[in-house]
Amino acid sequence: QTLDLPENTSTPVGKPRLLVYTQSQLAEQTTPANAALSDASVAVSGLTFADQDLDATEIAGSVSWTASGDVASASHYAVYLTEAGGWRSMLGQAITEQLDIAGDTSLSTAPAPPLGLAVFVSSSLVEQT
């Protein structure tokens, strides 16, 4: 049998285990089979960007960052233009720890400042929240 857990399933703090009980019409097994759960995580830090476009409403340049943790489980990174209220717009995706933003990339669709950049890690299943 196979059990697929939905992405972003919460796990308890500590050393969580998955317990499986066999059940019949008469009773449930008293001693379950068990397995340790491991949750892959990747963190991004050290985000750097220097705008090379001289126009006030456009950006260009190289975004770079450092990823740590279970980076082998990362399929790609998504770079977003963001604002404090939660709005975001994807600028591009990269499979390495760098993304080059093309010249004349417009900021005109963005809400009022403050604007920033954010990097989210994706696995083959889901993007980091």
Side-chain angles (χ1 to χ4, degrees), residues 43-101:
V44 171
S45 62
L47 181 68
T48 61
F49 173 72
D51 188 8
Q52 302 295 314
D53 192 301
L54 300 178
D55 296 320
T57 60
E58 297 174 342
I59 61 173
S62 182
V63 182
S64 62
W65 58 90
T66 302
S68 62
D70 189 8
V71 294
S73 65
S75 63
H76 65 277
Y77 304 90
V79 179
Y80 291 90
L81 185 63
T82 63
E83 69 87 31
W87 174 90
R88 67 183 187 177
S89 177
M90 186 184 290
L91 294 171
Q93 295 181 342
I95 57 172
T96 62
E97 296 173 9
Q98 179 176 322
L99 176 73
D100 293 325
I101 299 172

Side-chain angles (χ1 to χ4, degrees), residues 17-41:
R17 300 192 73 75
L18 181 65
L19 305 177
V20 178
Y21 292 85
T22 302
Q23 184 176 8
S24 71
Q25 293 177 349
L26 300 174
E28 182 176 88
Q29 178 181 3
T30 56
T31 306
N34 70 84
L37 293 177
S38 68
D39 189 14
S41 69

